[in-house]
Amino acid sequence: MSDIFISYSRNDQTQAHELAEKLRANGMKVWMDQESLIPSEQWATEIVEAIRGCSAFLVLLSATSVESSNVL
């Protein structure tokens, strides 16, 4: 499983990827939806399992993420 699960708004995708790369450069395993979802799997189940298995849940807060129904 991952050390860190990153939740973010699509509008913040660039910043989320930059943050993920910095964390990985420091030896962390990062889970992000676009990089980690398996296309043939049930994505909702996969996300729940990733959240349950992570050591830390990081929410990238922004004006758009607080309005997003996907950043719960």
Short mmCIF file of all heavy atoms in Angstrom, two decimals:
data_model
loop_
_atom_site.label_atom_id
_atom_site.label_comp_id
_atom_site.label_asym_id
_atom_site.label_seq_id
_atom_site.Cartn_x
_atom_site.Cartn_y
_atom_site.Cartn_z
N MET A 1 0.83 -1.19 0.00
CA MET A 1 0.00 0.00 0.00
C MET A 1 0.88 1.25 0.00
O MET A 1 2.08 1.18 0.13
CB MET A 1 -0.92 0.00 1.22
CG MET A 1 -2.06 -1.02 1.16
SD MET A 1 -2.79 -1.06 -0.34
CE MET A 1 -4.24 -0.67 -0.66
N SER A 2 0.24 2.39 -0.07
CA SER A 2 0.95 3.66 -0.16
C SER A 2 1.16 4.29 1.21
O SER A 2 0.42 4.04 2.14
CB SER A 2 0.17 4.63 -1.03
OG SER A 2 0.09 4.15 -2.34
N ASP A 3 2.19 5.11 1.26
CA ASP A 3 2.42 5.91 2.45
C ASP A 3 1.40 7.06 2.50
O ASP A 3 0.85 7.36 3.55
CB ASP A 3 3.83 6.51 2.44
CG ASP A 3 4.91 5.45 2.48
OD1 ASP A 3 4.78 4.50 3.28
OD2 ASP A 3 5.88 5.57 1.72
N ILE A 4 1.16 7.67 1.33
CA ILE A 4 0.33 8.88 1.28
C ILE A 4 -0.70 8.78 0.16
O ILE A 4 -0.37 8.45 -0.98
CB ILE A 4 1.19 10.13 1.07
CG1 ILE A 4 2.20 10.27 2.20
CG2 ILE A 4 0.32 11.38 0.95
CD1 ILE A 4 3.21 11.35 2.01
N PHE A 5 -1.95 9.07 0.49
CA PHE A 5 -3.04 9.17 -0.48
C PHE A 5 -3.28 10.66 -0.69
O PHE A 5 -3.48 11.40 0.28
CB PHE A 5 -4.30 8.52 0.08
CG PHE A 5 -5.49 8.58 -0.83
CD1 PHE A 5 -5.88 7.45 -1.54
CD2 PHE A 5 -6.24 9.74 -0.98
CE1 PHE A 5 -7.00 7.48 -2.38
CE2 PHE A 5 -7.35 9.79 -1.81
CZ PHE A 5 -7.72 8.65 -2.51
N ILE A 6 -3.24 11.13 -1.94
CA ILE A 6 -3.47 12.55 -2.22
C ILE A 6 -4.84 12.73 -2.84
O ILE A 6 -5.16 12.13 -3.87
CB ILE A 6 -2.39 13.15 -3.14
CG1 ILE A 6 -1.02 13.04 -2.48
CG2 ILE A 6 -2.72 14.61 -3.47
CD1 ILE A 6 0.12 13.58 -3.34
N SER A 7 -5.66 13.58 -2.21
CA SER A 7 -6.97 13.95 -2.73
C SER A 7 -6.87 15.39 -3.22
O SER A 7 -6.36 16.26 -2.51
CB SER A 7 -8.01 13.84 -1.61
OG SER A 7 -9.29 14.21 -2.09
N TYR A 8 -7.37 15.65 -4.43
CA TYR A 8 -7.21 16.97 -5.03
C TYR A 8 -8.30 17.22 -6.07
O TYR A 8 -8.92 16.28 -6.57
CB TYR A 8 -5.83 17.09 -5.70
CG TYR A 8 -5.64 16.11 -6.82
CD1 TYR A 8 -5.83 16.50 -8.15
CD2 TYR A 8 -5.29 14.79 -6.58
CE1 TYR A 8 -5.69 15.60 -9.19
CE2 TYR A 8 -5.14 13.88 -7.61
CZ TYR A 8 -5.33 14.29 -8.91
OH TYR A 8 -5.19 13.39 -9.94
N SER A 9 -8.50 18.46 -6.42
CA SER A 9 -9.43 18.85 -7.47
C SER A 9 -8.72 18.77 -8.82
O SER A 9 -7.51 19.00 -8.90
CB SER A 9 -9.89 20.29 -7.22
OG SER A 9 -10.55 20.81 -8.35
N ARG A 10 -9.44 18.43 -9.85
CA ARG A 10 -8.85 18.38 -11.21
C ARG A 10 -8.17 19.70 -11.57
O ARG A 10 -7.17 19.71 -12.27
CB ARG A 10 -9.91 18.06 -12.26
CG ARG A 10 -10.39 16.67 -12.20
CD ARG A 10 -9.37 15.73 -12.84
NE ARG A 10 -9.79 14.37 -12.58
CZ ARG A 10 -9.14 13.52 -11.81
NH1 ARG A 10 -8.02 13.87 -11.24
NH2 ARG A 10 -9.59 12.31 -11.61
N ASN A 11 -8.71 20.81 -11.11
CA ASN A 11 -8.09 22.11 -11.39
C ASN A 11 -6.72 22.25 -10.75
O ASN A 11 -5.93 23.10 -11.16
CB ASN A 11 -8.98 23.25 -10.92
CG ASN A 11 -10.25 23.37 -11.72
OD1 ASN A 11 -10.34 22.83 -12.82
ND2 ASN A 11 -11.23 24.06 -11.19
N ASP A 12 -6.43 21.42 -9.76
CA ASP A 12 -5.16 21.47 -9.04
C ASP A 12 -4.24 20.30 -9.41
O ASP A 12 -3.29 19.99 -8.71
CB ASP A 12 -5.40 21.45 -7.53
CG ASP A 12 -6.29 22.58 -7.09
OD1 ASP A 12 -6.14 23.70 -7.62
OD2 ASP A 12 -7.15 22.36 -6.21
N GLN A 13 -4.53 19.66 -10.53
CA GLN A 13 -3.80 18.47 -10.94
C GLN A 13 -2.30 18.73 -11.08
O GLN A 13 -1.49 17.92 -10.64
CB GLN A 13 -4.37 17.97 -12.27
CG GLN A 13 -3.74 16.71 -12.76
CD GLN A 13 -4.46 16.17 -13.99
OE1 GLN A 13 -5.56 16.60 -14.32
NE2 GLN A 13 -3.83 15.26 -14.66
N THR A 14 -1.90 19.84 -11.67
CA THR A 14 -0.48 20.14 -11.85
C THR A 14 0.23 20.22 -10.50
O THR A 14 1.28 19.62 -10.31
CB THR A 14 -0.30 21.45 -12.63
OG1 THR A 14 -0.91 21.30 -13.92
CG2 THR A 14 1.17 21.79 -12.80
N GLN A 15 -0.37 20.95 -9.55
CA GLN A 15 0.23 21.09 -8.23
C GLN A 15 0.28 19.75 -7.50
O GLN A 15 1.25 19.44 -6.81
CB GLN A 15 -0.53 22.13 -7.38
CG GLN A 15 -0.47 23.53 -7.92
CD GLN A 15 -1.55 23.83 -8.96
OE1 GLN A 15 -2.21 22.95 -9.50
NE2 GLN A 15 -1.72 25.11 -9.24
N ALA A 16 -0.76 18.94 -7.65
CA ALA A 16 -0.80 17.63 -7.00
C ALA A 16 0.31 16.73 -7.54
O ALA A 16 0.98 16.04 -6.76
CB ALA A 16 -2.17 16.98 -7.20
N HIS A 17 0.51 16.75 -8.84
CA HIS A 17 1.57 15.92 -9.43
C HIS A 17 2.95 16.41 -8.98
O HIS A 17 3.84 15.59 -8.71
CB HIS A 17 1.46 15.91 -10.95
CG HIS A 17 0.39 15.01 -11.45
ND1 HIS A 17 0.53 13.64 -11.51
CD2 HIS A 17 -0.87 15.27 -11.89
CE1 HIS A 17 -0.58 13.11 -11.97
NE2 HIS A 17 -1.45 14.08 -12.20
N GLU A 18 3.14 17.71 -8.90
CA GLU A 18 4.42 18.25 -8.43
C GLU A 18 4.68 17.83 -6.99
O GLU A 18 5.80 17.43 -6.64
CB GLU A 18 4.43 19.78 -8.54
CG GLU A 18 4.50 20.28 -9.97
CD GLU A 18 4.31 21.78 -10.09
OE1 GLU A 18 4.17 22.48 -9.06
OE2 GLU A 18 4.33 22.28 -11.23
N LEU A 19 3.66 17.90 -6.15
CA LEU A 19 3.79 17.48 -4.76
C LEU A 19 4.10 15.99 -4.67
O LEU A 19 4.99 15.58 -3.92
CB LEU A 19 2.50 17.80 -3.99
CG LEU A 19 2.44 17.34 -2.55
CD1 LEU A 19 3.56 17.97 -1.72
CD2 LEU A 19 1.08 17.66 -1.96
N ALA A 20 3.41 15.19 -5.46
CA ALA A 20 3.64 13.74 -5.46
C ALA A 20 5.08 13.43 -5.85
O ALA A 20 5.72 12.57 -5.23
CB ALA A 20 2.67 13.06 -6.41
N GLU A 21 5.60 14.10 -6.84
CA GLU A 21 6.99 13.87 -7.27
C GLU A 21 7.98 14.25 -6.18
O GLU A 21 8.97 13.55 -5.97
CB GLU A 21 7.28 14.62 -8.56
CG GLU A 21 6.58 14.01 -9.77
CD GLU A 21 6.82 12.51 -9.92
OE1 GLU A 21 7.99 12.07 -9.84
OE2 GLU A 21 5.84 11.77 -10.09
N LYS A 22 7.72 15.33 -5.46
CA LYS A 22 8.60 15.72 -4.36
C LYS A 22 8.56 14.68 -3.24
O LYS A 22 9.60 14.34 -2.66
CB LYS A 22 8.21 17.10 -3.82
CG LYS A 22 8.55 18.21 -4.78
CD LYS A 22 8.12 19.56 -4.25
CE LYS A 22 8.42 20.63 -5.29
NZ LYS A 22 7.98 21.95 -4.86
N LEU A 23 7.39 14.18 -2.94
CA LEU A 23 7.26 13.15 -1.90
C LEU A 23 7.96 11.87 -2.33
O LEU A 23 8.67 11.24 -1.53
CB LEU A 23 5.78 12.88 -1.61
CG LEU A 23 5.03 14.02 -0.92
CD1 LEU A 23 3.53 13.77 -0.96
CD2 LEU A 23 5.51 14.20 0.52
N ARG A 24 7.80 11.49 -3.58
CA ARG A 24 8.47 10.29 -4.09
C ARG A 24 9.99 10.44 -4.07
O ARG A 24 10.71 9.49 -3.78
CB ARG A 24 7.98 9.97 -5.50
CG ARG A 24 6.56 9.46 -5.52
CD ARG A 24 6.12 9.12 -6.94
NE ARG A 24 4.75 8.67 -6.92
CZ ARG A 24 3.76 9.24 -7.61
NH1 ARG A 24 4.00 10.27 -8.40
NH2 ARG A 24 2.53 8.77 -7.53
N ALA A 25 10.46 11.64 -4.37
CA ALA A 25 11.90 11.90 -4.35
C ALA A 25 12.47 11.73 -2.94
O ALA A 25 13.67 11.51 -2.78
CB ALA A 25 12.19 13.31 -4.87
N ASN A 26 11.59 11.83 -1.95
CA ASN A 26 12.00 11.64 -0.55
C ASN A 26 11.65 10.25 -0.03
O ASN A 26 11.58 10.03 1.17
CB ASN A 26 11.36 12.73 0.32
CG ASN A 26 12.06 14.05 0.15
OD1 ASN A 26 13.18 14.22 0.61
ND2 ASN A 26 11.43 14.98 -0.54
N GLY A 27 11.39 9.33 -0.96
CA GLY A 27 11.21 7.94 -0.60
C GLY A 27 9.81 7.51 -0.22
O GLY A 27 9.60 6.38 0.23
N MET A 28 8.82 8.37 -0.42
CA MET A 28 7.44 8.03 -0.08
C MET A 28 6.75 7.35 -1.27
O MET A 28 7.03 7.65 -2.42
CB MET A 28 6.64 9.29 0.27
CG MET A 28 7.17 10.02 1.44
SD MET A 28 6.94 9.04 2.90
CE MET A 28 7.01 10.25 4.16
N LYS A 29 5.84 6.43 -0.95
CA LYS A 29 4.98 5.84 -1.97
C LYS A 29 3.67 6.63 -1.95
O LYS A 29 3.05 6.76 -0.90
CB LYS A 29 4.72 4.36 -1.68
CG LYS A 29 5.95 3.50 -1.82
CD LYS A 29 5.67 2.02 -1.78
CE LYS A 29 4.81 1.62 -0.62
NZ LYS A 29 4.61 0.17 -0.50
N VAL A 30 3.29 7.16 -3.10
CA VAL A 30 2.14 8.05 -3.20
C VAL A 30 1.06 7.41 -4.07
O VAL A 30 1.35 6.83 -5.12
CB VAL A 30 2.55 9.41 -3.80
CG1 VAL A 30 1.35 10.31 -4.00
CG2 VAL A 30 3.60 10.08 -2.92
N TRP A 31 -0.19 7.52 -3.63
CA TRP A 31 -1.33 7.05 -4.41
C TRP A 31 -2.10 8.26 -4.91
O TRP A 31 -2.51 9.13 -4.13
CB TRP A 31 -2.26 6.19 -3.56
CG TRP A 31 -3.26 5.39 -4.35
CD1 TRP A 31 -3.14 4.08 -4.70
CD2 TRP A 31 -4.51 5.84 -4.88
NE1 TRP A 31 -4.25 3.69 -5.43
CE2 TRP A 31 -5.09 4.76 -5.55
CE3 TRP A 31 -5.18 7.05 -4.88
CZ2 TRP A 31 -6.32 4.84 -6.21
CZ3 TRP A 31 -6.40 7.15 -5.53
CH2 TRP A 31 -6.96 6.04 -6.17
N MET A 32 -2.29 8.35 -6.23
CA MET A 32 -3.12 9.38 -6.86
C MET A 32 -4.01 8.69 -7.87
O MET A 32 -3.57 7.76 -8.57
CB MET A 32 -2.26 10.43 -7.56
CG MET A 32 -1.48 11.30 -6.60
SD MET A 32 -0.51 12.54 -7.46
CE MET A 32 -1.79 13.48 -8.28
N ASP A 33 -5.24 9.12 -8.01
CA ASP A 33 -6.21 8.43 -8.86
C ASP A 33 -5.74 8.22 -10.29
O ASP A 33 -5.76 7.11 -10.79
CB ASP A 33 -7.57 9.12 -8.82
CG ASP A 33 -7.55 10.56 -9.27
OD1 ASP A 33 -6.45 11.12 -9.50
OD2 ASP A 33 -8.64 11.14 -9.41
N GLN A 34 -5.29 9.25 -10.97
CA GLN A 34 -4.94 9.10 -12.38
C GLN A 34 -3.70 8.22 -12.59
O GLN A 34 -3.54 7.64 -13.64
CB GLN A 34 -4.72 10.46 -13.02
CG GLN A 34 -6.00 11.20 -13.23
CD GLN A 34 -5.81 12.42 -14.10
OE1 GLN A 34 -4.72 12.95 -14.21
NE2 GLN A 34 -6.89 12.87 -14.70
N GLU A 35 -2.86 8.14 -11.59
CA GLU A 35 -1.65 7.34 -11.71
C GLU A 35 -1.83 5.93 -11.18
O GLU A 35 -1.10 5.02 -11.55
CB GLU A 35 -0.51 8.00 -10.93
CG GLU A 35 -0.15 9.36 -11.42
CD GLU A 35 0.85 10.06 -10.52
OE1 GLU A 35 1.20 9.52 -9.46
OE2 GLU A 35 1.29 11.15 -10.89
N SER A 36 -2.79 5.72 -10.30
CA SER A 36 -2.87 4.48 -9.56
C SER A 36 -4.09 3.62 -9.83
O SER A 36 -4.10 2.45 -9.47
CB SER A 36 -2.80 4.78 -8.05
OG SER A 36 -1.63 5.51 -7.75
N LEU A 37 -5.12 4.17 -10.43
CA LEU A 37 -6.33 3.38 -10.70
C LEU A 37 -6.06 2.36 -11.80
O LEU A 37 -5.42 2.66 -12.80
CB LEU A 37 -7.49 4.27 -11.11
CG LEU A 37 -8.17 5.05 -10.00
CD1 LEU A 37 -9.23 5.97 -10.59
CD2 LEU A 37 -8.80 4.13 -8.98
N ILE A 38 -6.57 1.16 -11.61
CA ILE A 38 -6.47 0.11 -12.61
C ILE A 38 -7.75 0.17 -13.45
O ILE A 38 -8.85 0.02 -12.91
CB ILE A 38 -6.31 -1.26 -11.93
CG1 ILE A 38 -5.05 -1.26 -11.07
CG2 ILE A 38 -6.28 -2.37 -12.98
CD1 ILE A 38 -4.94 -2.45 -10.14
N PRO A 39 -7.63 0.42 -14.76
CA PRO A 39 -8.81 0.63 -15.59
C PRO A 39 -9.90 -0.44 -15.50
O PRO A 39 -11.07 -0.13 -15.57
CB PRO A 39 -8.23 0.70 -17.01
CG PRO A 39 -6.83 1.15 -16.80
CD PRO A 39 -6.40 0.53 -15.50
N SER A 40 -9.54 -1.69 -15.35
CA SER A 40 -10.54 -2.75 -15.34
C SER A 40 -11.18 -2.97 -13.97
O SER A 40 -12.09 -3.78 -13.82
CB SER A 40 -9.90 -4.06 -15.80
OG SER A 40 -8.88 -4.44 -14.90
N GLU A 41 -10.74 -2.26 -12.96
CA GLU A 41 -11.26 -2.42 -11.60
C GLU A 41 -12.42 -1.47 -11.33
O GLU A 41 -12.62 -0.48 -12.03
CB GLU A 41 -10.15 -2.16 -10.58
CG GLU A 41 -8.98 -3.12 -10.66
CD GLU A 41 -9.33 -4.53 -10.24
OE1 GLU A 41 -10.13 -4.69 -9.30
OE2 GLU A 41 -8.80 -5.46 -10.86
N GLN A 42 -13.16 -1.74 -10.27
CA GLN A 42 -14.19 -0.83 -9.80
C GLN A 42 -13.49 0.33 -9.08
O GLN A 42 -12.94 0.14 -8.00
CB GLN A 42 -15.14 -1.55 -8.84
CG GLN A 42 -15.97 -2.62 -9.50
CD GLN A 42 -17.00 -2.00 -10.45
OE1 GLN A 42 -17.50 -0.91 -10.23
NE2 GLN A 42 -17.29 -2.70 -11.51
N TRP A 43 -13.49 1.51 -9.67
CA TRP A 43 -12.67 2.59 -9.15
C TRP A 43 -13.09 3.02 -7.74
O TRP A 43 -12.24 3.35 -6.92
CB TRP A 43 -12.64 3.79 -10.09
CG TRP A 43 -13.98 4.42 -10.34
CD1 TRP A 43 -14.84 4.13 -11.34
CD2 TRP A 43 -14.59 5.45 -9.58
NE1 TRP A 43 -15.97 4.91 -11.24
CE2 TRP A 43 -15.84 5.74 -10.17
CE3 TRP A 43 -14.22 6.17 -8.45
CZ2 TRP A 43 -16.70 6.70 -9.66
CZ3 TRP A 43 -15.09 7.12 -7.94
CH2 TRP A 43 -16.31 7.38 -8.55
N ALA A 44 -14.36 3.01 -7.41
CA ALA A 44 -14.79 3.43 -6.07
C ALA A 44 -14.23 2.48 -5.01
O ALA A 44 -13.72 2.93 -3.97
CB ALA A 44 -16.30 3.49 -5.98
N THR A 45 -14.30 1.20 -5.26
CA THR A 45 -13.76 0.22 -4.33
C THR A 45 -12.25 0.37 -4.21
O THR A 45 -11.70 0.31 -3.11
CB THR A 45 -14.10 -1.21 -4.81
OG1 THR A 45 -15.51 -1.33 -4.91
CG2 THR A 45 -13.55 -2.26 -3.87
N GLU A 46 -11.60 0.59 -5.33
CA GLU A 46 -10.15 0.75 -5.33
C GLU A 46 -9.73 1.98 -4.51
O GLU A 46 -8.74 1.93 -3.77
CB GLU A 46 -9.68 0.89 -6.78
CG GLU A 46 -8.24 0.57 -6.97
CD GLU A 46 -7.87 0.54 -8.44
OE1 GLU A 46 -8.74 0.28 -9.29
OE2 GLU A 46 -6.70 0.80 -8.71
N ILE A 47 -10.46 3.07 -4.63
CA ILE A 47 -10.15 4.28 -3.88
C ILE A 47 -10.34 4.04 -2.38
O ILE A 47 -9.49 4.42 -1.57
CB ILE A 47 -11.00 5.47 -4.37
CG1 ILE A 47 -10.52 5.89 -5.76
CG2 ILE A 47 -10.95 6.64 -3.39
CD1 ILE A 47 -11.38 6.92 -6.43
N VAL A 48 -11.42 3.41 -1.99
CA VAL A 48 -11.68 3.12 -0.57
C VAL A 48 -10.55 2.25 -0.01
O VAL A 48 -10.04 2.51 1.08
CB VAL A 48 -13.05 2.46 -0.37
CG1 VAL A 48 -13.20 1.92 1.03
CG2 VAL A 48 -14.16 3.45 -0.70
N GLU A 49 -10.14 1.24 -0.75
CA GLU A 49 -9.06 0.37 -0.29
C GLU A 49 -7.75 1.14 -0.15
O GLU A 49 -6.98 0.93 0.79
CB GLU A 49 -8.88 -0.81 -1.24
CG GLU A 49 -10.02 -1.80 -1.15
CD GLU A 49 -9.93 -2.91 -2.19
OE1 GLU A 49 -8.94 -2.95 -2.97
OE2 GLU A 49 -10.86 -3.73 -2.22
N ALA A 50 -7.48 2.04 -1.08
CA ALA A 50 -6.26 2.85 -1.02
C ALA A 50 -6.28 3.77 0.20
O ALA A 50 -5.26 3.95 0.87
CB ALA A 50 -6.09 3.66 -2.30
N ILE A 51 -7.44 4.36 0.50
CA ILE A 51 -7.55 5.23 1.67
C ILE A 51 -7.35 4.42 2.94
O ILE A 51 -6.60 4.83 3.84
CB ILE A 51 -8.91 5.96 1.69
CG1 ILE A 51 -8.98 6.97 0.54
CG2 ILE A 51 -9.14 6.64 3.04
CD1 ILE A 51 -10.35 7.56 0.32
N ARG A 52 -7.97 3.27 3.02
CA ARG A 52 -7.84 2.43 4.22
C ARG A 52 -6.40 1.95 4.42
O ARG A 52 -5.97 1.74 5.54
CB ARG A 52 -8.77 1.23 4.13
CG ARG A 52 -10.21 1.60 4.34
CD ARG A 52 -11.10 0.38 4.30
NE ARG A 52 -12.47 0.77 4.57
CZ ARG A 52 -13.52 0.10 4.14
NH1 ARG A 52 -13.36 -1.01 3.43
NH2 ARG A 52 -14.73 0.52 4.41
N GLY A 53 -5.68 1.76 3.34
CA GLY A 53 -4.33 1.22 3.43
C GLY A 53 -3.22 2.23 3.53
O GLY A 53 -2.06 1.87 3.74
N CYS A 54 -3.52 3.51 3.41
CA CYS A 54 -2.46 4.51 3.44
C CYS A 54 -2.09 4.88 4.88
O CYS A 54 -2.87 4.68 5.81
CB CYS A 54 -2.87 5.76 2.67
SG CYS A 54 -4.15 6.77 3.44
N SER A 55 -0.90 5.40 5.03
CA SER A 55 -0.45 5.87 6.34
C SER A 55 -0.90 7.30 6.61
O SER A 55 -1.10 7.69 7.75
CB SER A 55 1.07 5.80 6.42
OG SER A 55 1.51 4.47 6.28
N ALA A 56 -1.04 8.09 5.53
CA ALA A 56 -1.45 9.49 5.67
C ALA A 56 -2.37 9.85 4.51
O ALA A 56 -2.17 9.42 3.38
CB ALA A 56 -0.24 10.42 5.68
N PHE A 57 -3.39 10.65 4.82
CA PHE A 57 -4.35 11.13 3.82
C PHE A 57 -4.12 12.62 3.68
O PHE A 57 -4.33 13.38 4.63
CB PHE A 57 -5.77 10.84 4.30
CG PHE A 57 -6.84 11.21 3.30
CD1 PHE A 57 -7.28 10.29 2.38
CD2 PHE A 57 -7.40 12.47 3.31
CE1 PHE A 57 -8.27 10.62 1.46
CE2 PHE A 57 -8.39 12.81 2.40
CZ PHE A 57 -8.83 11.88 1.47
N LEU A 58 -3.68 13.05 2.51
CA LEU A 58 -3.35 14.45 2.29
C LEU A 58 -4.38 15.07 1.34
O LEU A 58 -4.61 14.55 0.25
CB LEU A 58 -1.95 14.54 1.67
CG LEU A 58 -1.34 15.92 1.57
CD1 LEU A 58 0.16 15.81 1.80
CD2 LEU A 58 -1.63 16.56 0.25
N VAL A 59 -5.01 16.14 1.78
CA VAL A 59 -5.97 16.86 0.93
C VAL A 59 -5.32 18.15 0.47
O VAL A 59 -4.86 18.96 1.29
CB VAL A 59 -7.27 17.19 1.70
CG1 VAL A 59 -8.23 17.96 0.80
CG2 VAL A 59 -7.92 15.93 2.22
N LEU A 60 -5.24 18.32 -0.83
CA LEU A 60 -4.69 19.55 -1.39
C LEU A 60 -5.83 20.56 -1.44
O LEU A 60 -6.70 20.50 -2.30
CB LEU A 60 -4.13 19.27 -2.79
CG LEU A 60 -3.36 20.37 -3.46
CD1 LEU A 60 -2.17 20.80 -2.61
CD2 LEU A 60 -2.88 19.92 -4.82
N LEU A 61 -5.84 21.46 -0.46
CA LEU A 61 -6.93 22.43 -0.34
C LEU A 61 -6.73 23.63 -1.26
O LEU A 61 -5.63 24.17 -1.37
CB LEU A 61 -7.05 22.94 1.09
CG LEU A 61 -7.58 21.94 2.10
CD1 LEU A 61 -7.57 22.54 3.49
CD2 LEU A 61 -8.97 21.48 1.74
N SER A 62 -7.80 24.01 -1.93
CA SER A 62 -7.81 25.18 -2.79
C SER A 62 -9.25 25.66 -2.89
O SER A 62 -10.16 24.99 -2.41
CB SER A 62 -7.27 24.84 -4.18
OG SER A 62 -8.19 24.01 -4.86
N ALA A 63 -9.45 26.77 -3.56
CA ALA A 63 -10.81 27.29 -3.75
C ALA A 63 -11.68 26.29 -4.50
O ALA A 63 -12.86 26.13 -4.20
CB ALA A 63 -10.76 28.61 -4.49
N THR A 64 -11.09 25.58 -5.45
CA THR A 64 -11.89 24.61 -6.22
C THR A 64 -12.07 23.29 -5.48
O THR A 64 -13.11 22.65 -5.62
CB THR A 64 -11.27 24.34 -7.61
OG1 THR A 64 -9.92 23.92 -7.46
CG2 THR A 64 -11.33 25.58 -8.47
N SER A 65 -11.09 22.88 -4.69
CA SER A 65 -11.24 21.58 -4.01
C SER A 65 -12.32 21.63 -2.93
O SER A 65 -13.02 20.65 -2.71
CB SER A 65 -9.91 21.10 -3.42
OG SER A 65 -9.50 21.89 -2.34
N VAL A 66 -12.47 22.77 -2.26
CA VAL A 66 -13.51 22.85 -1.23
C VAL A 66 -14.92 22.87 -1.82
O VAL A 66 -15.88 22.59 -1.12
CB VAL A 66 -13.31 24.04 -0.26
CG1 VAL A 66 -12.01 23.91 0.51
CG2 VAL A 66 -13.36 25.37 -1.00
N GLU A 67 -15.02 23.14 -3.11
CA GLU A 67 -16.31 23.14 -3.81
C GLU A 67 -16.57 21.82 -4.53
O GLU A 67 -17.67 21.58 -5.00
CB GLU A 67 -16.37 24.29 -4.81
CG GLU A 67 -16.29 25.67 -4.19
CD GLU A 67 -17.49 25.98 -3.32
OE1 GLU A 67 -18.60 25.56 -3.65
OE2 GLU A 67 -17.30 26.67 -2.31
N SER A 68 -15.55 20.97 -4.62
CA SER A 68 -15.66 19.73 -5.40
C SER A 68 -16.39 18.64 -4.63
O SER A 68 -16.11 18.40 -3.45
CB SER A 68 -14.26 19.24 -5.75
OG SER A 68 -14.33 17.96 -6.35
N SER A 69 -17.31 17.97 -5.30
CA SER A 69 -18.01 16.84 -4.66
C SER A 69 -17.12 15.60 -4.63
O SER A 69 -17.42 14.64 -3.94
CB SER A 69 -19.30 16.54 -5.41
OG SER A 69 -19.02 16.17 -6.74
N ASN A 70 -16.02 15.60 -5.37
CA ASN A 70 -15.11 14.46 -5.39
C ASN A 70 -14.01 14.56 -4.35
O ASN A 70 -13.35 13.57 -4.06
CB ASN A 70 -14.47 14.32 -6.77
CG ASN A 70 -15.50 13.93 -7.81
OD1 ASN A 70 -16.34 13.09 -7.57
ND2 ASN A 70 -15.45 14.57 -8.95
N VAL A 71 -13.77 15.73 -3.81
CA VAL A 71 -12.79 15.90 -2.74
C VAL A 71 -13.58 15.94 -1.45
O VAL A 71 -14.02 16.97 -0.98
CB VAL A 71 -11.96 17.19 -2.91
CG1 VAL A 71 -10.91 17.30 -1.82
CG2 VAL A 71 -11.31 17.24 -4.29
N LEU A 72 -13.80 14.76 -0.90
CA LEU A 72 -14.69 14.65 0.27
C LEU A 72 -13.92 14.83 1.55
O LEU A 72 -13.32 14.06 2.11
CB LEU A 72 -15.42 13.30 0.25
CG LEU A 72 -16.29 13.10 -1.01
CD1 LEU A 72 -16.87 11.70 -1.01
CD2 LEU A 72 -17.41 14.11 -1.04
#
